[in-house]
């Protein structure tokens, strides 16, 4: 407590000194302001990115590997006729081969995603339909809101049942309780048995992030087949035949993911002439996110480091000027009986007032920058409470580090010389 | 006034202090020997450049002799480190300067409190002591003023109050009235007289005989040597 009695007058002296040279102090603080602001912004952006990546992982599962069909680069078809049938993508065989030959595979979930005309009461619209197996809901996290999800039994009997997503419900403009209602999808009539939550958007999109409705894949195959015919704007039919849009492969453990994805890559490369598939490993996406974050950190960290260095040097420069200005005061204090260490402490406090003042402004700016980033781009940011304390610590640290030299200079002045100084 | 037992406060033995100025050697003090008893009231006299300030600075532990011995309460100053000398100044000495040497950005109160701060007194004690000291030198009505807002005489009163804050055994004044008019000088010398009567050892550097006449004892320097010593029988 008595230390506080001792320190406070010097803090006040430092504040008065800063106030007396307002412009000079402010300009001196700028380096600190930007340095501290970059530190906070850097941590906020980094945390935002990694939370987003982690969330995607949570949504897709770190044990999962995602295979999806992709239109190969040149699939122009026969070319002679205007109508063409493109055939590409993952096959039922692929799923089977994966299950049988790739080690450590726990289960595979096939899915097809097709837009189909849907009717509900007097409304008609196109919904994004996911044809899949019940295991989908074990692999991808879709919290149930009402009713139930698909069952194995639905698959076995090709039941005409469907599970809507919230998004689907909204698109159907259904105000009433949907479970138990009938909707018409394509040529079939389906009973709504449940409603699930949609996936939230993120850096890594879940395969069904925009889906409206799920139906058993067996029912879909029986009713609609594998071929989708669309009519181009000039009235020519254009068809696509894709057996499976997606296969989610769940491995027995996170450790098995890497080897598993390599094995699948090799297997698919052997059986597909064209590269009409894509392999997504959420785990690698996380690594990519981490790498992006690292790049970000390097850039912002460099800005922060340089700003803090420049800020520190600026403060040191001002403090050296201050020591010269206050030479006489130092002489007086020494004559009165202040030890050298007391002079050092006084000047360190003064420097810290400057640096912590700059740090304080930096914290304000550092909190504002991530908010602006989030508002203007869709990059998420999370301001870390600890980063504010870190910023405070950095400010005080810079004050002490760069204040030490001027303070030592002040303390080592010869008292008599200092007193004679005008 | 009589003191039953004589007590030596300082003793100088062949003290020399020289400065190198370019190739030349300036002998500011050139072999000074004398001693001061507790309760003494001394005037150090001599022409400008005779070494008065140099001697006072050595007596006040702001400077050290180049050679010779300086005994302070029986301890050789040469054996004391910087912190010990600082502590000695803080606890036992009070300085008063010709140009006052108040800290310009501090108020009268804050200036008086500086030694108290270093002595580690808590705020309320500092404040009470500052009030009392300002009262004593007749500056209680100017506690919140800055030094620049005071006249020379007022500044010197504040400086005296500050010098007395640590209740020093020895007061050292270097031409304390050098920048003051006659009337103010007389007031300041009255303060010194009072302090002397309270038993403090007072050492005043001056080249003015009028001022020196207040003191009981006198040492006259000439070219860094003692010309005459007149010590009052206490
Ligand atoms: N820092 C210094 N460097 C060189 N010479 C000095 C220094 N201080 C004092 N002197 C010299 O020492 C002599 C005594 O100085 P000083 O003690 O200030 O005299 P006084 O106070 O009696 O006028 C003078 O000749 C002065 O020029
Ligand atoms: Mg002098």
């Amino acid at each position: 407590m008595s230390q506080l009695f001792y320190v406070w007058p010097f803090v006040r002296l430092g504040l008065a000194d800063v106030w007396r040279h307002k412009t000079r102090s402010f300009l001196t603080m700028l380096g600190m302001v930007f340095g501290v602001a970059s530190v906070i912004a850097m941590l906020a952006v980094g945390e935002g990115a990694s939370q987003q990546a982690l969330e995607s992982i949570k949504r897709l599962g770190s044990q999962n590997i995602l295979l999806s069909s992709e239109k190969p680069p040149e699939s122009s078809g026969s070319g002679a006729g205007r109508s063409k049938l493109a055939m590409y993508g993952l096959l039922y065989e692929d799923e089977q081969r994966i299950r049988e030959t790739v080690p450590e595979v726990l289960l595979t979930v096939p899915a097809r995603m097709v837009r189909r005309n849907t009717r509900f009461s007097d409304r008609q619209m196109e919904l994004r339909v996911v044809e899949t197996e019940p295991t989908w809901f074990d692999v991808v996290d879709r919290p149930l809101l009402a009713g139930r999800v698909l069952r194995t039994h639905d698959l076995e009997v090709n039941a005409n049942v469907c599970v809507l997503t919230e998004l689907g419900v909204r698109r159907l403009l259904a105000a009433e309780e949907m479970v138990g209602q009938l909707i018409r999808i394509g040529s079939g009539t389906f009973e709504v048995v449940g409603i699930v939550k949609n996936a939230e958007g993120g850096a890594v999109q879940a395969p069904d992030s925009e889906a409206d409705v799920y139906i058993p894949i067996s029912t879909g195959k029986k009713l609609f087949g594998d071929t989708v015919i669309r009519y181009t704007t000039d009235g020519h039919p254009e068809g696509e035949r894709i057996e499976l849009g997606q296969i989610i492969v769940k491995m027995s453990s996170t450790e098995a993911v890497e080897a598993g994805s390599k094995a699948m890559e090799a297997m698919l490369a052997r059986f597909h002439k064209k590269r009409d598939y894509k392999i997504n490993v959420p785990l690698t996406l996380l690594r990519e996110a981490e790498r992006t974050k690292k790049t970000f950190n390097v850039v912002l960290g460099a800005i922060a480091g340089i700003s803090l260095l420049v800020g520190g040097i600026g403060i040191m420069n001002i403090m050296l000027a201050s020591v010269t200005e206050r030479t006489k005061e130092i002489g007086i204090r020494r004559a009165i009986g202040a030890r050298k260490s007391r002079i050092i402490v006084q000047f360190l406090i003064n420097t810290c007032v400057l640096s912590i003042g700059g740090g304080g402004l930096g914290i304000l700016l550092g909190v504002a920058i991530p908010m602006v980033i989030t508002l203007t781009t869709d990059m998420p940011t999370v301001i870390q409470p600890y980063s504010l304390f870190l910023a405070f610590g950095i400010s005080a640290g810079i004050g002490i580090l760069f204040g030490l030299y001027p303070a030592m200079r002040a303390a080592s002045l010869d008292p008599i010389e200092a007193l004679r100084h005008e | 006034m009589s003191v039953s037992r004589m007590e030596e406060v300082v003793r100088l033995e062949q003290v020399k202090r020289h400065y190198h100025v370019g190739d030349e050697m300036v002998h500011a003090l050139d072999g000074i020997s004398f001693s001061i008893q507790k309760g003494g009231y001394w005037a150090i006299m001599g022409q400008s450049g005779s070494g008065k300030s140099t001697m006072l600075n050595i007596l006040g532990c702001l400077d050290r002799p180049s050679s010779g011995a300086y005994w302070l309460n029986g301890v050789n100053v040469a054996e004391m480190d910087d912190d010990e000398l600082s502590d000695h100044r803080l606890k036992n000495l009070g300085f008063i300067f010709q140009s006052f040497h108040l800290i310009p950005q501090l108020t009268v109160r804050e200036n008086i409190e500086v030694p108290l701060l270093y002595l580690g007194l808590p705020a309320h004690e500092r404040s009470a002591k500052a009030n009392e000291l300002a009262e004593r030198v007749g500056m209680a009505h100017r506690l919140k003023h800055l030094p620049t807002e005071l006249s020379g005489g007022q500044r010197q009163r504040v400086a005296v109050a500050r010098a007395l804050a640590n209740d020093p055994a020895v007061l050292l004044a270097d031409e304390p009235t050098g920048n003051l008019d006659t009337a103010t000088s007389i007031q300041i010398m009255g303060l010194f007289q009072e302090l002397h009567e309270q038993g403090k050892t007072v050492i005043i550097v001056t080249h003015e005989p009028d001022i020196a006449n207040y003191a009981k004892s006198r040492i006259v320097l000439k070219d860094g040597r003692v010309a005459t010593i007149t010590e009052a029988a206490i």
Side-chain angles (χ1 to χ4, degrees):
Chain A
M1 204 56 198
S2 66
Q3 280 313 96
L4 203 67
F5 285 134
Y6 174 71
V7 165
W8 175 239
F10 291 106
V11 172
R12 249 186 24 204
L13 205 61
L15 286 172
D17 203 54
V18 167
W19 191 246
R20 196 165 43 247
H21 307 287
K22 281 185 264 311
T23 318
R24 186 175 93 173
S25 302
F26 177 71
L27 292 175
T28 308
M29 285 176 183
L30 277 182
M32 289 297 304
V33 173
F34 292 126
V36 164
S38 327
V39 170
I40 295 173
M42 168 179 81
L43 292 170
V45 170
E47 183 60 19
S50 69
Q51 277 194 11
Q52 193 183 38
L54 277 175
E55 206 151 291
S56 308
I57 286 288
K58 218 171 82 189
R59 221 163 27 231
L60 293 176
S62 59
Q63 295 173 34
N64 295 349
I65 298 167
L66 206 68
L67 310 180
S68 44
S69 295
E70 214 177 34
K71 208 176 178 120
E74 15 64 76
S75 62
S76 44
S78 52
R82 307 272 325 246
S83 64
K84 40 195 174 174
L85 183 67
M87 278 165 55
Y88 64 89
L90 298 165
L91 309 169
Y92 294 108
E93 281 171 25
D94 290 329
E95 191 198 351
Q96 201 179 342
R97 273 194 290 261
I98 287 167
R99 227 189 309 226
E100 283 164 4
T101 65
V102 178
E104 304 269 350
V105 169
L106 211 58
L107 67 111
T108 58
V109 186
R112 300 163 39 81
M113 266 150 243
V114 190
R115 287 165 179 277
R116 295 198 190 282
N117 275 322
T118 307
R119 262 190 302 146
F120 172 62
S121 58
D122 55 348
R123 288 185 291 279
Q124 188 170 343
M125 75 220 62
E126 199 173 59
L127 284 191
R128 289 157 297 194
V129 181
V130 179
E131 298 168 20
T132 187
E133 290 180 3
T135 43
W136 179 275
F137 299 94
D138 300 335
V139 172
V140 180
D141 181 38
R142 292 282 169 276
L144 189 63
L145 293 175
R148 61 168 178 89
V149 293
L150 299 179
R151 287 182 186 148
T152 322
H153 181 72
D154 301 331
L155 205 69
E156 284 162 6
V157 302
N158 302 336
N160 281 11
V161 292
C162 68
V163 172
L164 283 170
T165 66
E166 271 179 310
L167 200 64
V169 173
R170 224 173 302 137
R171 285 171 55 110
L172 285 171
L173 297 170
E176 61 268 59
E177 179 57 59
M178 279 307 289
V179 177
Q181 303 270 355
L182 296 179
I183 60 174
R184 203 163 165 81
I185 302 172
S187 52
T189 304
F190 290 75
E191 185 194 343
V192 178
V193 293
I195 299 169
V196 295
K197 243 177 134 87
N198 268 87
E200 279 148 41
V204 184
Q205 292 278 311
D208 61 342
S209 61
E210 302 225 286
D212 299 311
V213 60
Y214 301 91
I215 61 170
I217 193 165
S218 55
T219 315
K221 191 171 162 64
K222 191 189 81 187
L223 276 176
F224 315 124
D226 295 330
T227 310
V228 180
I229 306 286
R230 270 208 196 75
Y231 291 90
T232 57
T233 40
D234 49 349
H236 292 280
E238 194 179 56
E240 267 187 351
R241 197 182 127 94
I242 306 169
E243 287 192 7
L244 287 176
Q246 225 107 43
I247 303 171
I248 298 180
V249 182
K250 183 167 187 167
M251 306 301 290
S252 61
S253 69
T254 310
E255 288 70 42
V257 165
E258 209 141 347
S261 73
K262 285 214 180 81
M264 281 178 246
E265 176 91 61
M267 198 269 292
L268 289 173
R270 191 139 41 89
F271 290 98
H272 290 242
K273 277 196 229 87
K274 288 175 286 189
R275 205 181 156 81
D276 53 358
Y277 55 87
K278 198 169 83 184
I279 302 182
N280 265 332
V281 184
L283 207 59
T284 49
L285 294 176
L286 177 68
R287 295 226 182 86
E288 262 162 45
E290 302 261 88
R291 221 172 301 135
T292 319
K293 178 178 156 185
K294 245 177 227 149
T295 319
F296 227 97
N297 279 1
V298 166
V299 172
L300 278 172
I303 293 173
I306 292 167
S307 302
L308 289 175
L309 185 70
V310 169
I313 291 170
I315 286 177
M316 179 153 80
N317 192 25
I318 284 299
M319 287 314 292
L320 285 173
S322 173
V323 168
T324 307
E325 263 173 29
R326 295 164 67 178
T327 297
K328 190 153 185 172
E329 178 193 331
I330 295 161
I332 295 169
R333 290 181 181 276
R334 292 284 280 133
I336 286 171
R339 288 183 176 196
K340 285 182 174 179
S341 56
R342 298 249 162 141
I343 302 295
I344 291 180
V345 168
Q346 180 187 345
F347 275 84
L348 283 184
I349 290 174
N350 201 324
T351 322
C352 285
V353 166
L354 259 182
S355 66
I356 292 173
L361 293 178
I363 287 177
L364 293 183
L365 189 65
V367 169
I369 289 174
M371 288 177 173
V372 172
I373 289 179
T374 305
L375 280 179
T376 52
T377 67
D378 55 356
M379 219 192 299
T381 55
V382 178
I383 291 164
Q384 300 267 73
Y386 84 83
S387 72
L388 305 186
F389 294 100
L390 182 71
F392 185 82
I394 289 175
S395 313
I398 294 269
I400 290 168
L401 187 69
F402 288 90
L404 212 50
Y405 175 61
M408 306 259 268
R409 274 251 301 238
S412 64
L413 288 173
D414 176 51
I416 298 168
E417 295 285 321
L419 276 174
R420 216 177 274 147
H421 189 266
E422 277 314 317
Chain B
M1 176 172 183
S2 77
V3 173
S4 55
R5 193 167 50 91
M6 299 272 267
E7 210 180 313
E8 202 175 69
V9 180
V10 296
R11 183 151 53 93
L12 275 60
E13 280 170 12
Q14 280 302 310
V15 163
K16 296 189 180 184
R17 179 69 170 97
H18 40 76
Y19 297 99
H20 297 272
V21 181
D23 294 339
E24 260 182 80
M25 182 96 107
V26 179
H27 294 278
L29 294 180
D30 199 14
I32 301 246
S33 302
F34 90 117
S35 62
I36 290 179
Q37 309 299 319
K38 188 171 189 290
Y41 190 176
W42 283 83
I44 301 175
M45 296 198 65
Q47 290 173 346
S48 181
S50 56
K52 305 184 294 295
S53 295
T54 307
M55 182 154 141
L56 194 79
N57 289 339
I58 287 177
L59 289 173
C61 295
L62 280 171
D63 198 5
R64 295 170 193 258
S66 309
S67 69
Y70 170 28
W71 300 88
L72 182 72
N73 298 319
V75 181
N76 191 348
V77 164
E79 283 160 14
M80 292 166 72
D81 67 17
D82 194 82
D83 281 354
E84 286 172 316
L85 292 181
S86 299
D87 291 350
H88 172 62
R89 293 196 298 268
L90 181 61
K91 294 192 180 111
N92 307 317
L93 304 184
F95 279 98
I96 294 146
F97 302 93
Q98 178 175 0
S99 46
F100 324 126
H101 287 346
L102 297 176
I103 298 175
Q105 59 267 39
L106 299 186
T107 62
V108 166
R109 172 189 292 287
E110 289 167 335
N111 264 290
I112 296 173
E113 284 187 11
V114 170
L116 304 173
L117 191 61
Y118 290 129
L119 283 168
L121 266 67
H124 62 278
E125 282 181 40
R126 290 203 300 264
S127 172
K129 195 91 194 270
N131 287 342
E132 180 196 317
L133 289 160
E135 190 81 48
R136 191 159 161 195
V137 298
M139 289 298 295
H141 59 307
R142 292 282 185 273
L143 279 170
K144 285 182 180 154
H145 287 241
L146 288 173
T148 45
E149 297 160 2
L150 303 177
S151 71
Q154 287 176 319
R155 287 186 212 182
Q156 199 59 302
R157 285 158 185 274
V158 175
V160 171
R162 183 181 65 188
L164 294 176
N166 56 345
D167 197 18
V170 181
L171 268 168
L172 302 154
D174 194 346
E175 313 244 11
T177 59
N179 285 344
L180 304 177
D181 58 48
T182 316
T184 327
S185 298
I186 290 169
Q187 287 174 1
I188 293 291
M189 291 318 292
L191 275 171
F192 283 126
Q193 186 61 37
E194 254 177 62
L195 296 168
H196 164 62
E197 280 161 12
Q198 285 162 15
K200 295 201 184 302
T201 307
V202 180
I203 306 168
I204 295 177
V205 163
T206 182
H207 61 269
E208 296 170 73
D210 288 352
I211 298 300
N213 281 338
Y214 283 88
K216 298 283 188 298
S217 311
R218 176 179 305 193
I219 177 167
V220 181
L221 300 183
K222 190 165 190 294
D223 298 332
R225 290 167 187 271
V226 178
T228 55
I229 296 188
T230 331
E231 186 166 6
I234 306 178

